[in-house]
Amino acid sequence: MEPLTFETYNGNTAWNNADCQDVGKLNASLRCNFTRTTPDCIDSDGYINYLDGAFCSFPPNVFPLAIFLYTLWLLYLFIILAVTAEKFFCPNLSAISRILRLSHNVAGVTFLAFGNGAPDVFSAVAAFSDSRTAGLAIGALFGAGVFVTTVVAGGITIVKPFTAASRPFLRDIVFYIAAIFLTFVVLYQGSVSLIVALVYLLLYLVYVFVVVLSTWIYRRMRQQQLSVPVTEEPDLLGESEDNCVPTPHGSEYGDEYQPLLPMQQSTWHILSSELNPIDVRKWKQKSWKWRTFKLIKVPVEVLLLLTVPVVDPDKEERNWQRPLNCLHLITTPLLCVFTLNAGSYGLYIINGVMPVWAVLLIIGTFLAAIVFLTTTNEEPPKYHCLFSFLGFVASALWISAAATEVVNLLRTFGIIFRLSNTVLGLTLLAWGNSIGDFVSDITLARQGYPRMAFSACFGGIIFNVLIGVGLGCLMQMGPSKTIFQLEHQGLLVWILAGGLGISLVFSLVSVPAQSFHLRRGYGLTLLFIYGLFLIVALLTEFGVIRLEMF
């Protein structure tokens, strides 16, 4: 890198030819000016300028306090992602799949896979929006892939040894290896063309087609053998991929929002009870740890309840709450416009007369009044299903906004600690987005559904890689830009790709060799592979392992 040069204009010092990570080389008194005037330090999206906050808002002697607060905020962002995806995004997608009358398998590899993979996909799209953080997306997708296919899959077999479903396993792992090989080629070329981005999406469509075709063939064969119709349940357990399945930590809203008052409730009682995320009876029964975590989640849960409608076919009257759903017609459009481009669209003045948010407020209030006057508290209207689409958009934008903040915050940590985006992606971002999969899949295995949990390990991450990379790059292209250029990738990325490839090839060879009877030894070997991979990756990041060609 060229030495830093200085130019003074308008009383400020400009830093040319500078990498933002060079801020650590400067005297503390110069760091604020450096982050404000260096082009590489400027973030074009997000609500908070984390670099400015760290180096300009906090005096140097309390700089560790900024790191501590940023760490707490990062953990809370992961909570926002998990709560939004699990309690709002996934239920609405389930409702949409039922409205469209999709089969279990098609829903499992499309809408429901999107529900479970939303944090990973939106984080990847947010990271690909800037070539400087593209390595964060690659590290997160590859890192999550290694984590899920080794730690999660290994943990399932350790908790509950079982016999894997042969056809779904071979199908999923072959497609996943194809997706990783395609990404390997992209990294080698250093760019993603429009054709390659479309190939990512096309490969996923082929995968969905193969799932549907194999399920149809499987049913026909079973019908011919047994001469009886095959029910949907075996497909859900044996063939379906990444389904949004209820888990103990994920069914909280199911019993928490059961009505405690008589059926004839007033409008005010319905609104106040639906906006209260704490069930008094459950609160008395739970431990202090659960209560503490619940109190931490309450602020974001209340905001989500205020802004995201949920249509749940499994609840009474499909979760129709007349006063709250009418309020959603006002709050949801405002949420949508203020989550786009960090809220700048909502503040745009139309013809110099009225801001966009005021227009949406007027329209939303008008629609809410019509719905309120033409419906009752007891019976949902015929168009109630449309609220699931509104909730889908609102929860997706919530996740997108939180994912953008996560990416910006991790980039800030990378600049402060001089860590590459790749290592941040394969550790913090990958762990944060995958911890929910780990808990839910291990819980499923303990409850006696290890095959479903194991299928989700390989089926869900196919969606994350193909859609995350394909859509993330495609959204950055346009008529004048048909190639998305990646920054030079060092040795760490190749170790990451190699580690994922080794874990997949090991499973592809060892699982059939065991006649698909997975035992604890297989799980322990997967954990050993992940530990070895993580050690090599960290040693490479800190320069202990290096090759001259990189």
Side-chain angles (χ1 to χ4, degrees):
M1 179 179 295
E2 300 179 20
L4 300 182
T5 61
F6 311 92
E7 293 180 1
T8 301
Y9 61 94
N10 295 331
N12 294 320
T13 302
W15 306 72
N16 299 326
N17 305 321
D19 188 291
C20 197
Q21 288 195 350
D22 293 332
V23 66
K25 302 177 182 178
L26 301 175
N27 185 278
S29 61
L30 299 175
R31 292 176 181 176
C32 178
N33 180 266
F34 179 88
T35 57
R36 289 179 172 177
T37 57
T38 301
D40 190 50
C41 295
I42 299 175
D43 288 323
S44 58
D45 53 3
Y47 295 92
I48 303 174
N49 189 332
Y50 296 103
L51 283 173
D52 187 85
F55 294 108
C56 300
S57 300
F58 287 86
N61 58 334
V62 295
F63 185 75
L65 176 62
I67 303 300
F68 176 73
L69 294 177
Y70 280 2
T71 302
L72 293 181
W73 176 232
L74 178 64
L75 295 176
Y76 201 75
L77 286 172
F78 282 127
I79 292 176
I80 293 175
L81 287 171
V83 172
T84 308
E86 185 178 0
K87 308 297 184 184
F88 296 86
F89 192 69
C90 198
N92 279 315
L93 286 179
S94 300
I96 291 174
S97 67
R98 293 194 184 188
I99 293 170
L100 300 179
R101 297 181 180 178
L102 300 178
S103 67
H104 287 303
N105 287 276
V106 176
V109 298
T110 53
F111 283 104
L112 302 184
F114 190 19
N116 285 344
D120 303 89
V121 172
F122 281 107
S123 296
V125 171
F128 275 117
S129 64
D130 191 334
S131 61
R132 297 173 300 179
T133 56
L136 189 64
I138 296 172
L141 292 174
F142 277 15
V146 178
F147 183 84
V148 171
T149 57
T150 55
V151 176
V152 179
I156 291 170
T157 57
I158 293 173
V159 170
K160 189 78 172 180
F162 67 101
T163 300
S166 57
R167 286 183 300 273
F169 170 77
L170 293 175
R171 176 194 66 214
D172 292 345
I173 200 169
V174 167
F175 269 95
Y176 193 36
I177 290 176
I180 297 305
F181 178 78
L182 179 60
T183 307
F184 187 88
V185 173
V186 166
L187 292 175
Y188 180 78
Q189 294 177 342
S191 62
V192 181
S193 64
L194 178 62
I195 298 299
V196 173
L198 294 176
V199 168
Y200 270 97
L201 303 179
L202 180 62
L203 184 59
Y204 184 72
L205 294 179
V206 172
Y207 170 69
V208 173
F209 174 77
V210 171
V211 170
V212 175
L213 181 62
S214 62
T215 301
W216 181 80
I217 295 175
Y218 173 76
R219 290 180 180 176
R220 291 294 299 271
M221 293 176 59
R222 288 293 301 272
Q223 288 176 358
Q224 293 176 359
Q225 293 174 358
L226 304 176
S227 299
V228 294
V230 180
T231 61
E232 290 285 341
E233 189 64 21
D235 288 332
L236 181 62
L237 298 180
E239 292 283 339
S240 177
E241 279 72 27
D242 196 25
N243 290 288
C244 292
V245 293
T247 61
H249 70 283
S251 60
E252 181 179 308
Y253 282 8
D255 54 10
E256 191 169 15
Y257 290 107
Q258 293 297 324
L260 304 178
L261 301 175
M263 292 302 295
Q264 296 295 331
Q265 302 180 48
S266 67
T267 298
W268 172 252
H269 282 159
I270 294 176
L271 181 61
S272 59
S273 63
E274 287 302 311
L275 289 178
N276 179 20
I278 298 178
D279 181 3
V280 178
R281 293 178 299 177
K282 177 178 286 189
W283 179 270
K284 295 179 180 179
Q285 298 171 358
K286 294 295 183 177
S287 64
W288 67 269
K289 294 180 181 179
W290 184 93
R291 296 180 184 180
T292 302
F293 188 60
K294 184 65 177 178
L295 288 176
I296 294 174
K297 294 192 299 181
V298 161
V300 67
E301 287 180 347
V302 171
L303 288 176
L304 286 165
L305 288 170
L306 275 171
T307 56
V308 182
V310 177
V311 177
D312 192 345
D314 295 327
K315 290 186 178 181
E316 184 180 0
E317 303 298 346
R318 293 174 297 178
N319 198 40
W320 166 249
Q321 306 294 338
R322 176 173 166 241
L324 183 59
N325 289 144
C326 291
L327 182 62
H328 286 147
L329 293 175
I330 301 174
T331 59
T332 303
L334 293 176
L335 164 79
C336 294
V337 74
F338 277 111
T339 52
L340 295 173
N341 198 24
S344 60
Y345 292 157
L347 300 176
Y348 177 76
I349 307 297
I350 302 176
N351 294 328
V353 177
M354 185 177 294
V356 172
W357 68 266
V359 175
L360 292 177
L361 180 62
I362 295 173
I363 297 175
T365 304
F366 177 73
L367 293 176
I370 293 178
V371 172
F372 188 82
L373 295 175
T374 57
T375 58
T376 62
N377 293 336
E378 292 74 25
E379 184 178 356
K382 295 181 179 180
Y383 52 82
H384 181 219
C385 61
L386 297 179
F387 280 86
S388 63
F389 293 90
L390 185 64
F392 161 72
V393 174
S395 55
L397 289 175
W398 259 97
I399 295 174
S400 178
T404 299
E405 295 303 310
V406 168
V407 170
N408 290 339
L409 189 52
L410 288 178
R411 180 173 181 265
T412 300
F413 281 139
I415 291 171
I416 293 174
F417 297 110
R418 300 187 62 79
L419 298 174
S420 67
N421 287 322
T422 304
V423 76
L424 289 171
L426 73 91
T427 52
L428 294 179
L429 188 55
W431 294 338
N433 287 339
S434 302
I435 192 65
D437 296 330
F438 177 80
V439 173
S440 60
D441 289 342
I442 295 298
T443 303
L444 275 175
R446 287 176 175 170
Q447 291 179 343
Y449 300 100
R451 291 179 66 184
M452 181 191 297
F454 192 76
S455 296
C457 290
F458 293 92
I461 52 181
I462 296 174
F463 178 90
N464 296 347
V465 172
L466 293 178
I467 301 300
V469 178
L471 186 62
C473 295
L474 190 63
M475 291 182 64
Q476 309 309 317
M477 298 179 183
S480 59
K481 183 182 179 181
T482 58
I483 296 180
F484 181 78
Q485 199 70 32
L486 298 173
E487 288 190 348
H488 173 71
Q489 305 297 327
L491 175 61
L492 182 59
V493 172
W494 300 108
I495 291 177
L496 187 57
L500 181 55
I502 290 173
S503 69
L504 292 176
V505 172
F506 172 76
S507 294
L508 180 62
V509 174
S510 63
V511 172
Q514 302 174 75
S515 299
F516 299 93
H517 300 298
L518 304 184
R519 301 175 178 85
R520 289 186 174 88
Y522 169 73
L524 292 173
T525 305
L526 289 179
L527 295 180
F528 173 77
I529 291 175
Y530 183 77
L532 182 62
F533 154 77
L534 195 60
I535 291 173
V536 173
L538 293 178
L539 291 178
T540 303
E541 172 67 15
F542 295 113
V544 178
I545 299 176
R546 64 180 67 185
L547 292 178
E548 294 298 330
M549 61 179 295
F550 293 96

